Amino acid sequence: MAGHFSGLRVVAVMTLHKLSAGEGYTYLTRQVASADELRPAGQSLADYYTARGNPPGVWLGQGAEILAVAGEAVSEAQMRSLFGAGQHPNAEAMLAAGSPESSTRLGSAYPSYAHVAPYVDRLNQRIDEFMTLNGRSPSATERNGIAANEARRGRRA
């Protein structure tokens, strides 16, 4: 979008960043929202923006309207609820007001694999077990089946 004002050309620029479910939002609050600068310990994102004169982000779009947060300033707590836990952005306030936890969920909780051995280690162990039982390496098809089973197993753990 470009416009002209007293002979000056003004250009608006927007960048996009992918957010992953779970802890992905922390990158946004740590780096992107702080212009890739580290904030001093204890400085909130709102304080950072106020000090720089940048307006805080606001919830926009049809999803924000459905969740009744359209136009609200985005807080770190809301990002933690939505991106970190798959809950309504105002889940903390809703729970504090006595709403049942089920009313804050926007779908299934994001899986956590922190307690599960790394996938590659588990896959290698299953392949070793296959080789011990069968006296040979698995075929490509068998290996793909072992990998798929181990991936499913990791999600259930």
Side-chain angles (χ1 to χ4, degrees):
M1 171 191 317
H4 295 281
F5 181 76
S6 299
L8 296 174
R9 183 179 167 140
V10 179
V11 178
V13 178
M14 177 176 75
T15 58
L16 298 175
H17 291 274
K18 179 183 108 175
L19 290 181
S20 301
E23 296 294 315
Y25 76 94
T26 60
Y27 170 74
L28 184 63
T29 58
R30 279 191 331 268
Q31 302 296 326
V32 177
S34 299
D36 291 326
E37 294 179 22
L38 293 176
R39 291 181 303 205
Q43 183 185 35
S44 73
L45 189 56
D47 290 341
Y48 171 86
Y49 276 123
T50 302
R52 301 266 190 217
N54 293 323
V58 294
W59 294 103
L60 297 173
Q62 186 177 9
E65 292 173 11
I66 291 168
L67 296 174
V69 295
E72 287 184 28
V74 179
S75 71
E76 288 183 65
Q78 287 177 320
M79 291 178 66
R80 185 173 39 256
S81 291
L82 182 62
F83 298 117
Q87 296 179 316
H88 189 286
N90 291 333
E92 288 181 10
M94 292 168 69
L95 293 171
S99 294
E101 186 172 340
S102 61
S103 70
T104 68
R105 289 191 208 118
L106 297 178
S108 298
Y110 299 118
S112 172
Y113 301 108
H115 62 285
V116 180
Y119 170 77
V120 173
D121 292 343
R122 294 189 331 264
L123 177 58
N124 287 335
Q125 183 178 356
R126 296 300 166 260
I127 290 172
D128 288 345
E129 290 170 1
F130 178 94
M131 290 170 61
T132 299
L133 288 171
N134 297 286
R136 63 178 175 83
S137 295
S139 69
T141 302
E142 290 168 327
R143 181 178 168 73
N144 288 342
I146 293 168
N149 286 335
E150 194 53 43
R152 280 191 295 274
R153 212 174 121 214
R155 275 188 250 143
R156 289 189 305 261

